[in-house]
Amino acid sequence: SVSLIPRAVPGYSRRAEPGSGGMARYLAQIIIVGAQVVGRAFARAVRQEFAASRAAADARGRSGRPSAAATSISGMSLQEAQQILNVTKLNSADIQQNYEHLFKVNDKTVGGSFYLQSKVVRAKERLDEELQIEEMDRVRKEQTKQSET
């Protein structure tokens, strides 16, 4: 048989010649290694998604049942509402000030966006609901303390 590859090439094997089945073995090894790499990456992605899902569930659990209900009713999370109105703490004065500014800036008569203006309104409504929930919790705690004494 006439070989196309000189014998001086390192790693040369007669089994690697076409027709001997060596190429099929190398191709199978490449496919197996590729599948292992993809499998590991997929497993890592699933673990990360599971961890993120658990963290989100824990965050929802910490926010409390009334807050979660307010989120589902308004369709906007507390964090989203805070981002829209650019507030970090629930302070009614800051919320009102930012609301008025953003509402005026996004007024359609001054070239603003009705969509953004409606987002600002929904964000304020959501933050107002959260303030009411906190107030109810505060009153409930005070009543509990008074009834214990």
Side-chain angles (χ1 to χ4, degrees):
S1 123
V2 176
S3 176
L4 300 174
I5 302 172
R7 290 187 185 270
V9 174
Y12 171 75
S13 169
R14 291 193 60 75
R15 284 188 262 154
E17 290 183 24
S20 69
M23 292 298 266
R25 184 178 357 200
Y26 291 132
L27 183 59
Q29 287 176 344
I30 290 171
I31 290 171
I32 289 171
V33 169
Q36 288 174 342
V37 168
V38 169
R40 285 187 199 117
F42 181 74
R44 188 177 311 125
V46 167
R47 282 193 301 270
Q48 288 175 348
E49 183 61 30
F50 183 70
S53 174
R54 182 181 293 164
D58 290 345
R60 280 194 305 272
R62 281 194 305 270
S63 66
R65 215 180 187 107
S67 183
T71 296
S72 68
I73 291 170
S74 68
M76 182 179 290
S77 70
L78 176 60
Q79 291 80 14
E80 183 182 3
Q82 287 176 315
Q83 287 177 339
I84 291 171
L85 289 180
N86 195 27
V87 292
T88 54
K89 297 188 179 189
L90 293 178
N91 179 349
S92 60
D94 290 342
I95 292 170
Q96 186 64 33
Q97 179 183 359
N98 291 359
Y99 166 75
E100 289 173 358
H101 170 71
L102 290 170
F103 190 84
K104 289 176 189 174
V105 167
N106 289 301
D107 192 4
K108 201 168 185 175
T109 59
V110 295
S113 165
F114 179 72
Y115 173 77
L116 292 177
Q117 193 177 40
S118 67
K119 283 296 228 182
V120 168
V121 170
R122 298 293 164 251
K124 182 169 185 321
E125 289 174 350
R126 177 63 180 93
L127 293 177
D128 286 344
E129 288 176 23
E130 195 66 28
L131 287 170
Q132 288 177 346
I133 291 169
E134 285 186 358
E135 180 63 23
M136 288 182 349
D137 286 346
R138 187 186 61 75
V139 168
R140 214 175 288 131
K141 285 179 184 178
E142 286 179 4
Q143 289 175 347
T144 305
K145 285 181 183 177
Q146 290 175 357
S147 65
E148 290 175 357
T149 58

